[in-house]
Amino acid sequence: MRIFARFVLYRLILRPFLSLIIGVKFPKASAFPEGQFILVSNHNSHLDTVSLLCSLPVKRLGDVHPAAAADYFARNKVMATLCEFFLNTVFVRRKGEGGQVLKPLDELDMHVKSGKSLILFPEGTRGLPEQIVDFKCGAAVLLQRNPHVKLVPVFMIGMGKAMPKGGLPIPSECEIRIGTSSIDDSVRSRPVMELTAFIQDEVLRLKEV
Amino acid sequence: MNLETLQSYAEYLTTPVAQVMGGIFAVLIVVTAAFYLARAIKGPTKLIKELIERTLSWWMILTGFTVTIFFSKMFATIALAFLAFVAFRELTSRLNLRMSDRRTLLWCYLAIPFQFFAAYIEWYGMFIIFIPVIMFVGLAMRSVAHGDVKGITASLGIIHWSAMLTIFSLSHLAYMLSLPEKAGYAAGNGGMILWLVLITECNDIFQFTWGKLFGKHKILPSVSPNKTVEGFVGGLISTVALGYSLSFLLPIDSTKTMILSILLAFSGFMGDVTISAIKRDLGIKDMGSTIPGHGGIMDRIDSLAFNALICFHLIRYWSYL
């Protein structure tokens, strides 16, 4: 039922809308690696998450989860349920609310340990189009704690022009660039800050292609 | 299915149009076969691969053109409006506009359905002033109302010029279907569109081919290194010959058809090099990647954008006033 709902929503409604009206150029579904991954991308727009989910192979939609800030996306029950049902989000309580037992990272780590793939926006919030601010270190920590999980760097262009923070969407061409990472065990074992810088470089490298 | 059954469905598929379309498909079949044969004999060289990719795209374009233009006026108008929309989106996405121009762009997007609606209902007065006059004032108003003045001069120019180049000029193709019926003109308004698009695209192909074969003297080396005097002159002569031989598609006599063909060879060339100049200014090779082997929509319809204006108004002046 959920798979069918997602297929209708992503393949039959959102993807045609995004590609015909907004002008998003989707990558080939084969650009995503097999197996569990942590996808790391720049973040300029609400279109980012939806476009990424629309470009995933349909069969993978069930096990790829965008991480979303609980204080923003789960500020009320209806919103939280809609996000979970349609976007498959996992929530991160970034401001320590709700008398939480686990730290935000431990919570994400738990999801990764249970076999889920994650979509992370390590800039933490939506910035200006194509300008990256320094990454937060969550993705690096998760990659260190789960050495079998692949890293997928992604750079998105134009999303912030098509739908910036606080703006309505207007048609403007966008592109999603999926990269392959050269990360290996020796890189993973570097200090967290260095690994974070490495991940940021992998994403930024795709800007120049 | 025979031609008569097909014609009962398709408003603009008159006998002359059907014959010419048949001819075009035949030529394309021969060309496609020739390229595949060349690949089989000589192996997949870079040039042959590129030519095959282009030819396959021509199949898509030709099929899309046949299906959308000749069947019904409403369908054709919607398809042309969508083409103008995609072209405008592609152009404005490349042209370094500011974030504060988004609202002004939205007004342009909203203008597209109205402009094509005016063409559809044959409201010539509105059709001809809506973009050049009303939007000229309206877009300035919207931009100024936003209050961001840094770079506003360039933005006003870019946005209005893009709207003229894509929305205004392509809506002339739609208006061709709205021109009143003329006694003794068998090809119908679809024939006019067919002649214009065929002449424009063939002029591009002729110039390209003559230039590849005999090109020596560059016309505009700082704009487009591929454009040569030999290519241009060869293209001009071939285009006039083709235009003249297909003059039965137009409601004007063959002398006028010849004058029109010469003008279109020039304005098509101008449209082509204008877009080349802009690409050079931006430091990009293609406007997009929508059509494999051709680049973006604007790379394909650059000459058509200029020719649609010239062709429509000259024919209207000669034949409908």
Side-chain angles (χ1 to χ4, degrees):
Chain A
M1 177 59 204
R2 278 185 74 166
I3 291 182
F4 182 70
R6 280 197 203 109
F7 176 74
V8 171
L9 182 71
Y10 288 111
R11 284 297 147 127
L12 303 184
I13 299 171
L14 286 174
R15 191 167 163 142
F17 172 78
L18 287 171
S19 73
L20 293 178
I21 305 298
I22 301 291
V24 179
K25 291 224 157 51
F26 286 102
K28 286 190 184 115
S30 58
F32 295 95
E34 297 285 319
Q36 202 181 352
F37 59 74
I38 289 179
L39 189 153
V40 171
S41 165
N42 63 331
H43 195 25
N44 301 136
S45 168
H46 280 325
L47 291 174
D48 292 350
T49 314
V50 181
S51 306
L52 278 173
L53 289 172
C54 284
S55 44
L56 280 167
V58 181
K59 62 178 197 300
R60 303 237 25 198
L61 280 171
D63 58 56
V64 179
H65 302 254
D71 51 281
Y72 185 78
F73 289 98
R75 56 184 182 270
N76 60 56
K77 258 248 148 67
V78 180
M79 183 99 170
T81 315
L82 285 176
C83 281
E84 274 187 322
F85 186 82
F86 287 116
L87 299 176
N88 225 2
T89 45
V90 291
F91 292 113
V92 188
R93 279 176 266 273
R94 58 179 173 184
K95 284 180 184 159
E97 72 267 37
Q100 65 200 92
V101 194
L102 293 165
K103 284 185 179 161
L105 260 180
D106 294 333
E107 228 170 318
L108 282 178
D109 191 40
M110 210 178 62
H111 288 301
V112 177
K113 290 262 171 8
S114 68
K116 293 171 176 174
S117 294
L118 293 183
I119 294 177
L120 298 181
F121 299 111
E123 291 175 280
T125 187
R126 290 165 292 155
L128 292 173
E130 282 80 75
Q131 290 174 26
I132 282 198
V133 298
D134 275 342
F135 280 13
K136 300 191 190 319
C137 58
V141 174
L142 290 174
L143 283 167
Q144 282 183 337
R145 291 195 201 168
N146 304 279
H148 62 284
V149 175
K150 297 185 180 103
L151 168 67
V152 181
V154 170
F155 192 80
M156 285 187 272
I157 293 171
M159 302 282 180
K161 273 202 163 167
M163 188 184 179
K165 205 170 185 170
L168 291 171
I170 65 154
S172 177
E173 290 193 351
C174 313
E175 199 186 331
I176 305 169
R177 291 181 181 165
I178 313 255
T180 45
S181 175
S182 60
I183 192 167
D184 57 21
D185 288 344
S186 70
V187 179
R188 270 181 217 256
S189 58
R190 287 188 207 161
V192 173
M193 293 316 287
E194 264 182 49
L195 184 52
T196 304
F198 173 84
I199 296 171
Q200 189 173 333
D201 278 347
E202 296 266 87
V203 171
L204 214 50
R205 206 153 45 100
L206 296 168
K207 186 180 180 178
E208 310 304 330
V209 179
Chain B
M1 209 193 304
N2 64 30
L3 187 59
E4 267 154 40
T5 343
L6 205 61
Q7 277 172 343
S8 64
Y9 293 110
E11 214 176 325
Y12 297 97
L13 201 68
T14 53
T15 309
V17 169
Q19 284 167 345
V20 175
M21 286 310 294
I24 299 172
F25 273 108
V27 169
L28 200 56
I29 289 171
V30 172
V31 170
T32 314
F35 287 153
Y36 274 103
L37 196 69
R39 191 177 72 169
I41 297 168
K42 280 180 150 180
T45 62
K46 195 166 161 271
L47 179 69
I48 291 178
K49 261 191 184 160
E50 198 187 305
L51 287 172
I52 286 179
E53 199 183 21
R54 279 188 181 215
T55 314
L56 293 182
S57 287
W58 276 120
W59 276 101
M60 304 278 291
I61 294 170
L62 191 61
T63 312
F65 178 76
T66 318
V67 171
T68 51
I69 298 299
F70 301 118
F71 280 74
S72 86
K73 185 168 144 185
M74 183 180 301
F75 197 36
T77 309
I78 293 172
L80 287 165
F82 185 71
L83 181 67
F85 164 73
V86 177
F88 182 76
R89 185 180 71 193
E90 185 181 279
L91 197 58
T92 50
S93 298
R94 296 286 167 281
L95 289 175
N96 298 328
L97 289 167
R98 308 166 300 161
M99 288 298 277
S100 51
D101 293 324
R102 283 168 32 89
R103 287 299 162 103
T104 318
L105 286 175
L106 181 64
W107 279 35
C108 291
Y109 287 119
L110 296 176
I112 298 174
F114 187 77
Q115 171 72 8
F116 281 82
F117 179 69
Y120 184 76
I121 62 167
E122 299 160 46
W123 187 6
Y124 186 77
M126 179 54 82
F127 162 80
I128 207 65
I129 70 163
F130 181 57
I131 304 276
V133 179
I134 298 177
M135 287 306 278
F136 174 70
V137 176
L139 293 179
M141 196 176 83
R142 187 65 195 87
S143 282
V144 173
H146 190 282
D148 181 10
V149 292
K150 191 93 192 88
I152 197 171
T153 323
S155 284
L156 283 173
I158 289 171
I159 296 174
H160 192 248
W161 190 80
S162 305
M164 289 292 286
L165 187 71
T166 55
I167 305 168
F168 186 64
S169 78
L170 288 179
S171 68
H172 282 70
L173 292 179
Y175 203 95
M176 275 187 176
L177 295 178
S178 286
L179 286 170
E181 248 175 64
K182 247 178 99 77
Y185 171 37
N189 294 340
M192 220 185 300
I193 293 195
L194 174 60
W195 187 87
L196 164 61
V197 175
L198 183 64
I199 286 301
T200 305
E201 301 308 323
C202 283
N203 185 48
D204 284 359
I205 296 170
F206 290 147
Q207 281 187 15
F208 174 82
T209 315
W210 283 99
K212 276 261 170 205
L213 292 177
F214 306 105
K216 266 202 193 99
H217 304 88
K218 293 184 167 66
I219 296 188
L220 290 164
S222 68
V223 177
S224 175
N226 296 324
K227 296 280 179 296
T228 57
V229 180
E230 291 80 359
F232 178 71
V233 174
L236 180 79
I237 293 166
S238 325
T239 301
V240 173
L242 182 70
Y244 183 78
S245 66
L246 294 175
S247 58
F248 61 88
L249 288 173
L250 293 179
I252 52 179
D253 63 39
S254 42
T255 322
K256 284 175 176 163
T257 306
M258 214 141 107
I259 299 173
L260 184 60
S261 307
I262 296 172
L263 271 173
L264 291 189
F266 273 99
S267 72
F269 174 78
M270 279 318 301
D272 197 340
V273 290
T274 305
I275 293 296
S276 296
I278 291 168
K279 286 188 283 193
R280 209 137 249 241
D281 180 28
L282 294 172
I284 54 179
K285 194 180 155 284
D286 288 325
M287 277 289 178
S289 54
T290 319
I291 321 171
H294 296 258
I297 301 282
M298 271 327 289
D299 298 302
R300 189 63 272 144
I301 64 163
D302 45 8
S303 35
L304 187 63
F306 275 37
N307 280 1
L309 296 168
I310 305 286
C311 184
F312 176 87
H313 287 291
L314 205 53
I315 290 182
R316 185 171 174 274
Y317 172 70
W318 273 333
S319 206
Y320 291 90
L321 286 184

